[in-house]
Amino acid sequence: MTNDTRTPAAPLPIAPGAWALDPFHSSVNFTIRHLGIAKVRGRFTGFDTELHVGRTAEEVRVTSTIDLASIDTGNADRDAHVRASDLLDVAKRPTMSFRSTRVSGAGEDWTMEGELTIGDVTRPVTLAVEFGGLVDVPTEGGGRHAGFEATGEIRRSEYGLDFAPGLLGEVVKIQLDMQFVEPAGA
């Protein structure tokens, strides 16, 4: 006789299958402190995310690749400098990638653990995920859309991005707003 004390898996709020990213209603955003007194906000405009939903949370897989050269902070000169070899060095580090390793939660509140890779450095990262809901889009071919917001933070020095100490903060806050389209026949 075994004593299984694990909590039964919560039902997933969306159907199994490969959900397609809706890039027109998704965004990858960040904030970082400048001079310790103000926040600089930015985004990456080039990214792709895949969401594979299984029958349980243990079977959910998320992968994402972000084009680091697509950084947009609203200032072209600053963006060009951030891409340069003395800062982000997009020639050596063209992409940032994420691969989930564990998803848990229920209802609207979920946690996604995974591995974030920038250049040749991979570190664990945890994101708080809010399930925004599921809705039928009334336009032709609209399908059902699911919305998610994921937030977390990383420390620049853990990825070898320790340039400009004192000018730029150590912590980068991440905010992902994602919409996915339900697979046909789900």
Side-chain angles (χ1 to χ4, degrees), residues 12-65:
L12 294 178
I14 60 177
W19 287 67
L21 177 69
D22 176 353
F24 302 110
H25 299 100
S26 298
S27 61
V28 175
N29 307 292
F30 67 89
T31 59
I32 188 169
R33 289 269 178 195
H34 180 253
L35 300 176
I37 58 172
K39 292 180 183 177
V40 171
R41 299 177 191 284
R43 65 188 183 128
F44 291 97
T45 59
F47 59 92
D48 187 36
T49 301
E50 296 179 0
L51 170 61
H52 297 276
V53 178
R55 301 230 177 263
T56 66
E58 291 81 23
E59 297 171 4
V60 173
R61 296 292 174 257
V62 177
T63 59
S64 187
T65 302

Side-chain angles (χ1 to χ4, degrees), residues 99-115:
R99 180 182 67 83
S100 67
T101 56
R102 183 172 187 267
V103 174
S104 60
E108 294 179 0
D109 299 314
W110 295 79
T111 299
M112 183 176 350
E113 297 172 27
E115 296 176 335

